[in-house]
């Protein structure tokens, strides 16, 4: 059965400053990941796989590559006569989208004209395969006004204003600390929320009228005492991207078979834009180990612990290890690369050597020539 | 009222392809998987789109389910336009009764209404049995230039092989004066590729005439073309240069897949200007594990390789476990090669499990009696038990019990 009583809102633009190299020419949601995906594919596919039919994607600037990626929404089955995909850039100027709360306020007509009872809200910084239907049933079971999805782990050091939650025995939120000084494991909010649509509208209006414009402090922290706010623990694979090294590590974690099975489950697949590439070609004398390879690649050299996106060429005598190489990058022969993140459409000429380190991978920007 | 289309293509996809045995037990030949992610029909369909042909009728008859489902709305090939695009044309019941397509010409005859509504000047007749990239618009231009009534695409074949084909004997100006079907002593090496361009008014007339001719087998090659030639219609041979392969037999299907591994094969599937489109499964990228050995192979997304793969074509979601060996073989989507199994010179169809230490096929150099050697073929959704052995040239359509 298609369709339910939930609509989706995805913030595709937040957290961009944390990986400014990758978001220089694209929005957060359009950051390539895992050999063929963009970060927005994860929240978008999760919502679609949970039966959500109406999804608004908020985007502020640099959104050409995002719009090119999303198209009509066909790849996510969101190109529909009824509902489907709504791309929501700022109406007049980007200052409307200066923070989460004013952004939501500026799409008020979209929220008001919808008929769905609930709204699922997600950012693009957590890479996971999560079932919103399960969150919804827990929300109903708890009689919650708001359900916050959280993860139990050490706080990623660079996460913006992390909200750390404490619960009573029933999972009701009894305390929220923003940006606390905590070492060790804690329950932190993953920027995924489930809320009644009318309540969301009411809270936004209230904050706008009082000019209290911080979503986390004024809505989540400000209202939890007046409302039934519950937590929902997500214990699957869910790296949060707060730095280039997080980004690098999250790609590398895909070499783990269990991680792949958790993220790319057959019953809840991750959809993405289609390119008609031929299967990957492994040449005579090529050597590939522990790597994730996309269709359209042409490999003649050695590849070890790498993620190669679609259409990457690795020349003869070249050795690439511990690298993330994005689509259509061509690496010549007799090169040596280790711990390098190479963006799209880069040309690396013959006999080049580039090396970074695990904690600080070197980044080569889009369309450059080395 | 449909907008006029200058050219309409009709793709004959009804053939059973019985020489492909278990591979075409449940699907028509044009739906047979090829090249790691394609089906044979992707080639003529993509050629149509890349040649600018907007209306394509696909004539189906034998086991059409998989083919119908695959073609769907035509969206993967951009053939889902409002007024044109791809239409699947199956035989139907008429006022006079219900008829199967009794021959290639009859199949087109029964769909005259479909062609007429586009009021075309030319009709291109294609088949779904070949792997090739061809610009049909150039052939239509040739047809126009020569004021032809019928143009037949031909390819130069080695003289030794010419007797396997329909040979077109031509005058110096390219006009055809004689057809020879599989001649013992061929006069030329112009083999027909089964691709025809007709001026629609002429073809329409001949189809109606042929339908009324008693004893006709309603076949283009046997009836319609010889009749047109006898009547002195302008018939020309259009020379095609490039890769072209019939994949109607197990050997030729295997060879054509292996051709993709040869860098000298003039068939570039990544050519941006002439892409071969197909429907793309939703799967993650392929994973090559530590200790895996992959060489000179084509591997599709979704595969998980821990064993050794050499000179092979692997479709999406194939799993090759540790210690397994796949050489000179084609493994179709979703099949699993368990630990220690050895697959050589074989075609394994979809979703089949080859059990631990099973041995499928053999290398030709390991077989003394060369007559007993050939490509081993395993059907779809089968289980080959542990330690089982499948001889070269075997065609397996049922599960095989394991051996302790």
């Amino acid at each position: 059965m298609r369709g339910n009583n939930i609509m989706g809102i995805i913030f595709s633009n937040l957290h961009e400053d944390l990986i400014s190299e990758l978001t220089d020419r694209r929005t957060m949601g359009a950051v390539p990941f895992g050999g063929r995906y963009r970060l927005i594919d994860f929240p978008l596919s999760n919502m679609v796989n949970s039966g959500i039919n109406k999804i608004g994607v908020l985007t502020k600037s640099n959104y050409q590559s995002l719009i090119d990626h999303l198209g009509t929404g066909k790849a996510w089955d969101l190109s529909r006569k009824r509902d489907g995909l709504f791309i929501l850039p700022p109406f007049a100027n980007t200052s409307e989208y200066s923070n989460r709360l004013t952004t939501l306020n500026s799409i008020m007509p979209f929220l008001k004209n919808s008929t769905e009872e609930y709204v699922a809200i997600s950012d693009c910084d957590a890479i996971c395969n999560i079932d919103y239907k399960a969150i919804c049933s827990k929300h109903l079971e708890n009689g919650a006004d708001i359900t916050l999805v959280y993860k139990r782990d050490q706080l990623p050091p660079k996460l913006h204003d992390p909200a750390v939650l404490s619960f009573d025995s029933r999972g009701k939120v009894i305390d929220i600390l923003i940006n606390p000084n905590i070492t060790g494991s804690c329950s932190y909010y993953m920027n995924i929320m489930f809320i009644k649509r009318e309540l969301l509208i009411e809270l936004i209006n209230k904050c706008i009228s009082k000019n209290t414009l911080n979503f986390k402090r004024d809505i989540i922290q400000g209202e939890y005492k007046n409302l039934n706010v519950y937590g929902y623990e997500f214990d699957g694979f869910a790296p949060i991207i707060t730095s280039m090294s997080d980004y690098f590590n999250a790609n590398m974690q895909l070499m783990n078979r269990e991680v792949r099975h958790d993220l790319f489950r057959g019953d809840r697949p991750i959809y993405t834009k289609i390119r008609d590439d031929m299967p990957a070609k492994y040449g005579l004398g090529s050597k590939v180990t522990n790597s994730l390879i996309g269709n359209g690649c042409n490999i003649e050299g050695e590849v070890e612990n790498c993620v190669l996106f679609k259409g990457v060429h690795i020349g003869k005598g070249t050795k690439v290890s511990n690298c993330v190489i994005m689509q259509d990058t061509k690496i010549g022969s007799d090169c040596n690369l280790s711990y390098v993140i190479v963006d799209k459409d880069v040309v690396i000429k013959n006999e080049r050597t580039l090396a970074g380190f695990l904690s600080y991978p070197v980044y080569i920007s889009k369309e450059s020539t080395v | 009222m449909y907008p006029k289309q200058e050219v309409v293509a009709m793709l004959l996809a009804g053939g059973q392809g019985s020489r492909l045995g278990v591979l075409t037990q449940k699907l028509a030949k044009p739906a047979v998987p090829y090249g790691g992610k394609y089906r044979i029909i992707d080639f003529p369909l993509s050629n149509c789109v890349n040649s600018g042909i907007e209306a394509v009728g696909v004539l189906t008859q034998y086991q059409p389910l998989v083919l119908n489902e695959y073609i769907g709305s035509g969206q993967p090939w951009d053939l889902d336009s409002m007024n044109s695009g791809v239409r699947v044309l199956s035989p139907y019941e008429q006022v006079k009764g219900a008829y199967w397509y009794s021959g290639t010409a009859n199949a087109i005859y029964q769909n005259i209404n479909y062609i007429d509504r586009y009021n075309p000047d030319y009709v291109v007749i294609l088949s779904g049995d070949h792997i090739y990239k061809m610009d049909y618009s150039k052939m239509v231009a040739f047809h126009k230039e020569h004021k032809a009534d019928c143009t037949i695409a031909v390819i130069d074949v080695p003289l030794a092989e010419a007797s396997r084909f329909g040979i077109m004997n031509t005058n110096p100006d390219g006009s055809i004066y004689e057809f020879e079907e599989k001649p013992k002593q061929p006069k030329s090496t112009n083999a027909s590729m089964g691709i025809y361009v007709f001026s629609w008014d002429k073809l329409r007339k001949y189809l109606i005439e042929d339908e009324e001719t008693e004893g006709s087998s309603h076949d283009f090659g046997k009836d319609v073309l010889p009749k047109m030639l006898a009547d002195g219609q302008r018939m020309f041979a259009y020379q095609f240069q490039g890769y072209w392969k019939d994949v109607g037999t197990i050997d030729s299907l295997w060879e054509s897949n292996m051709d993709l591994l040869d860098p000298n094969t003039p068939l570039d599937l990544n050519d941006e200007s002439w892409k071969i489109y197909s429907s793309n499964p939703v799967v993650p990228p392929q994973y090559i594990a530590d200790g895996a050995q992959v060489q000179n192979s084509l591997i599709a997304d979704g595969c998980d390789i821990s064993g050794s793969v050499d000179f092979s074509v692997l479709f999406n979601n194939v799993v090759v476990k540790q210690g397994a060996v796949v050489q000179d073989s084609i493994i179709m989507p979703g099949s699993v090669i368990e630990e220690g199994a050895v697959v050589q010179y074989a075609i394994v169809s979809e979703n089949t499990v080859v059990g631990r230490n099973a041995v499928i096929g053999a290398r030709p150099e390991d077989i003394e009696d060369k007559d007993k050697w050939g490509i081993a073929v395993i059907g779809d959704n089968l289980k080959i038990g542990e330690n089982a052995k499948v001889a070269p040239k075997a065609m397996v359509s049922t599960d095989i019990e394991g051996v302790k």
Side-chain angles (χ1 to χ4, degrees):
Chain A
M1 277 282 282
R2 161 169 277 286
N4 55 22
N5 216 0
I6 310 169
M7 63 185 284
I9 300 276
I10 297 174
F11 282 89
S12 79
N13 57 313
L14 299 174
H15 321 291
E16 283 170 354
D17 50 321
L18 297 171
I19 47 170
S20 54
E21 294 95 329
L22 290 168
T23 54
D24 183 34
R25 288 163 75 179
R26 52 169 82 89
T27 182
M28 186 75 177
V31 168
F33 178 79
R36 68 179 300 182
Y37 305 95
R38 305 281 184 146
L39 292 183
I40 198 167
D41 292 338
F42 296 89
L44 211 48
S45 303
N46 289 336
M47 287 183 182
V48 169
N49 289 334
S50 308
I52 298 177
N53 255 342
K54 179 175 191 176
I55 300 175
V57 173
L58 294 159
T59 181
K60 184 178 170 187
S61 53
N62 276 356
Y63 46 73
Q64 283 179 3
S65 78
L66 181 81
I67 287 177
D68 175 51
H69 180 68
L70 295 176
T72 61
K74 172 89 189 160
W76 299 265
D77 217 2
L78 286 171
S79 171
R80 318 221 61 89
K81 284 194 174 177
R82 293 174 53 180
D83 301 328
L85 178 71
F86 295 80
I87 299 178
L88 305 165
F91 187 74
N93 56 60
T94 52
S95 65
E96 295 164 14
Y97 279 31
S98 57
N99 71 37
R100 197 186 290 270
L101 213 146
T102 54
T103 307
L104 287 171
N105 186 51
S106 73
I107 59 154
M108 199 48 95
F110 177 69
L111 289 172
K112 279 190 173 157
N113 292 337
S114 297
T115 53
E116 287 77 6
E117 203 175 344
Y118 301 99
V119 188
I121 305 178
S122 174
D123 293 357
C124 292
D125 61 338
I127 298 162
C128 62
N129 191 323
I130 191 168
D131 182 7
Y132 286 94
K133 270 189 282 195
I135 301 174
C136 179
S137 3
K138 205 75 196 168
H139 185 86
L140 296 178
E141 195 186 307
N142 288 333
D145 295 312
I146 296 176
T147 297
L148 302 174
V149 178
Y150 68 91
K151 188 175 159 174
R152 266 201 80 75
D153 200 353
Q154 290 207 336
L155 268 183
K158 290 185 181 157
L159 190 62
H160 267 315
D161 286 348
V164 174
L165 316 174
S166 315
F167 312 97
D168 69 8
S169 58
R170 289 192 53 241
K172 187 167 188 275
V173 174
I174 49 168
D175 197 15
I176 299 182
L177 298 172
I178 291 183
N179 217 353
N181 192 4
I182 291 184
T183 46
S185 192
C186 64
S187 302
Y188 66 92
Y189 172 49
M190 283 171 65
N191 293 322
I192 297 174
M193 164 189 262
F194 199 85
I195 184 171
K196 231 187 189 132
R197 185 176 54 89
E198 282 172 359
L199 176 64
L200 178 67
I201 293 172
E202 188 193 314
L203 292 173
I204 294 167
N205 286 339
K206 191 167 149 189
C207 286
I208 293 292
S209 62
K210 291 202 289 188
N211 200 29
T212 50
L213 300 179
N214 188 313
F215 190 85
K216 256 183 205 157
R217 289 186 191 276
D218 301 322
I219 291 191
I220 299 180
Q221 200 179 32
E223 296 289 342
Y224 81 90
K225 283 181 185 146
N226 313 327
L227 297 167
N228 280 324
V229 179
Y230 278 81
Y232 177 92
E233 184 179 356
F234 181 71
D235 57 3
F237 175 72
I240 316 275
I241 308 299
T242 65
S243 66
M244 287 301 271
S245 109
D246 284 351
Y247 173 80
F248 181 80
N249 289 332
N251 273 289
M252 289 301 152
Q253 277 175 285
L254 297 177
M255 307 303 171
N256 183 325
R257 204 164 265 140
E258 274 136 43
V259 163
R260 282 202 311 283
H261 286 181
D262 189 52
L263 192 58
F264 305 118
R265 312 165 45 121
D267 57 341
R268 300 204 303 260
I270 304 299
Y271 307 95
T272 188
K273 185 189 172 189
I274 283 160
R275 257 178 47 158
D276 287 79
D277 292 82
M278 70 179 292
K281 244 180 170 165
Y282 296 79
L284 213 54
S286 71
K287 191 172 172 222
V288 181
T289 56
N290 194 39
S291 293
L292 206 59
I293 313 280
N295 270 356
C297 282
N298 192 348
I299 303 172
E300 294 183 276
E302 237 177 277
V303 178
E304 191 187 359
N305 310 332
C306 288
V307 175
L308 303 192
F309 285 66
K310 291 169 170 234
V312 168
H313 285 209
I314 306 286
K316 265 199 171 39
T318 286
K319 186 171 180 192
V320 188
S321 59
N322 304 295
C323 291
V324 175
I325 301 181
M326 294 184 208
Q327 64 191 67
D328 297 324
T329 282
K330 312 276 182 254
I331 300 180
S333 49
D334 302 312
C335 295
N336 204 325
L337 275 71
S338 78
Y339 293 105
V340 185
I341 298 173
V342 187
D343 210 312
K344 276 176 71 176
D345 297 312
V346 169
V347 176
I348 296 183
K349 298 204 166 153
N350 296 349
E351 298 170 32
R352 299 291 186 268
T353 298
L354 296 166
F357 197 73
L358 175 61
S359 55
Y360 196 91
V362 172
Y363 171 75
I364 312 288
S365 64
K366 194 172 162 183
E367 290 163 5
S368 47
T369 301
V370 178
Chain B
M1 188 61 190
Y2 287 85
K4 178 183 170 74
Q5 298 286 345
E6 191 193 11
V7 180
V8 169
M10 298 295 274
L11 207 167
L12 298 159
Q16 180 184 353
S18 53
R19 286 174 302 165
L20 289 174
V22 291
L23 298 181
T24 50
Q25 223 164 40
K26 294 175 194 158
L27 44 82
K29 179 157 76 169
V32 167
Y34 170 83
K37 72 173 286 198
Y38 308 95
R39 293 184 189 266
I40 297 169
I41 197 168
D42 288 332
F43 287 80
L45 282 180
S46 300
N47 286 339
C48 281
V49 177
N50 290 330
S51 304
I53 297 174
E54 290 175 63
V56 184
V58 177
L59 300 127
T60 62
Q61 178 152 294
Y62 171 79
Q63 289 282 19
L65 175 65
V66 174
L67 196 56
N68 284 348
E69 193 174 55
Y70 185 67
I71 293 172
S73 67
Q75 194 267 337
W77 305 271
D78 245 352
L79 284 169
D80 56 342
S81 316
M82 256 199 277
N83 292 315
S84 52
V86 64
R87 296 286 178 274
V88 175
L89 305 168
S90 42
Y92 54 96
E93 190 174 332
Q94 306 166 25
V95 181
K96 292 176 285 178
Y99 306 97
W100 293 104
Y101 294 150
S102 57
T104 50
N106 174 260
I108 307 294
Y109 169 81
Q110 291 201 41
N111 289 289
I112 284 180
N113 285 342
Y114 166 78
I115 300 173
D116 272 348
R117 65 183 188 174
Y118 293 113
N119 186 25
D121 300 325
Y122 310 102
V123 170
V124 181
I125 308 288
L126 305 167
S127 67
D129 327 2
H130 302 113
I131 302 297
Y132 66 110
K133 299 205 296 188
M134 179 174 178
D135 189 344
Y136 304 134
S137 70
K138 286 188 182 154
M139 184 172 168
V140 171
F142 174 95
H143 180 88
K144 282 196 246 179
E145 206 179 296
H146 288 79
K147 299 195 168 53
D149 300 308
C150 168
T151 301
I152 298 170
V154 295
I155 188 162
D156 200 27
V157 292
L159 189 63
E161 285 177 32
S163 53
R164 284 175 35 218
F165 294 93
I167 296 297
M168 307 283 129
N169 295 320
T170 57
N171 299 313
D173 67 346
S175 60
I176 298 168
Y177 67 87
E178 187 189 23
F179 302 137
E180 287 183 295
E181 190 59 25
K182 298 186 178 146
K184 290 234 161 58
Q185 247 112 38
K187 289 190 201 117
S188 80
T189 53
N190 283 333
S192 166
M193 297 165 66
I195 299 166
Y196 315 120
V197 175
F198 290 98
S199 297
W200 175 229
D201 51 348
K202 277 277 156 62
L203 176 63
R204 198 176 188 284
K205 182 174 143 265
Y206 274 92
L207 287 176
I208 293 168
E209 248 179 61
D210 177 70
E211 198 54 30
E212 287 159 358
T213 307
E214 294 249 342
S216 168
S217 54
H218 308 307
D219 185 88
F220 276 106
K222 291 192 195 117
D223 308 292
V224 176
L225 296 176
K227 181 79 179 23
M228 284 180 85
L229 191 66
D231 289 356
Q233 300 292 349
R234 288 177 66 80
M235 303 182 80
F236 282 81
Y238 171 77
Q239 205 79 41
F240 172 77
Q241 266 153 0
Y243 184 88
W244 178 80
K245 192 133 193 164
D246 181 287
V247 283
T249 63
I250 293 295
D251 286 352
S252 63
L253 178 68
W254 179 84
E255 270 168 33
S256 184
N257 274 279
M258 294 302 138
D259 283 346
L260 292 174
L261 304 177
D262 180 352
N264 300 318
T265 300
L267 182 74
D268 178 7
L269 300 182
N270 258 352
D271 177 2
E272 281 294 323
S273 64
W274 206 272
K275 273 210 165 171
I276 301 303
Y277 300 99
S278 67
S279 105
N280 290 265
V282 179
V283 291
Q286 54 206 280
Y287 176 67
I288 314 292
D290 247 343
Q293 285 182 321
V294 180
Q295 280 208 33
N296 208 38
S297 294
L298 275 187
I299 300 191
D301 281 347
C303 285
D304 187 335
I305 314 295
S306 309
S308 147
V309 178
D310 207 4
F311 284 90
S312 294
V313 175
L314 271 51
F315 285 71
N316 61 283
N317 291 343
V318 165
V319 178
V320 178
K321 297 209 176 148
Q322 223 166 16
V325 175
V326 177
Q327 285 176 334
D328 305 280
S329 294
I330 301 163
I331 317 286
M332 292 185 184
S335 285
V336 178
I337 315 297
E338 298 280 5
E339 283 95 345
V342 177
V343 180
Q344 291 173 320
Y345 290 88
I347 300 177
V348 177
S349 192
E350 298 171 48
N351 300 317
T352 281
V353 178
V354 175
R356 292 165 77 103
N357 302 320
V359 177
I360 314 286
R363 307 191 69 79
E365 56 267 33
D366 296 343
I367 299 287
E368 262 177 51
D369 185 355
K370 295 295 179 229
D371 289 340
K372 287 191 179 150
W373 183 84
I375 304 297
V377 183
I378 315 283
D380 61 302
N381 293 289
L382 298 182
K383 280 200 165 51
I384 308 299
E386 278 182 36
N387 304 314
K389 273 202 167 52
V390 173
K393 219 175 178 174
M395 184 144 322
V396 178
S397 58
T398 51
D399 289 354
I400 295 182
E401 293 270 324
V403 185
K404 279 276 143 72

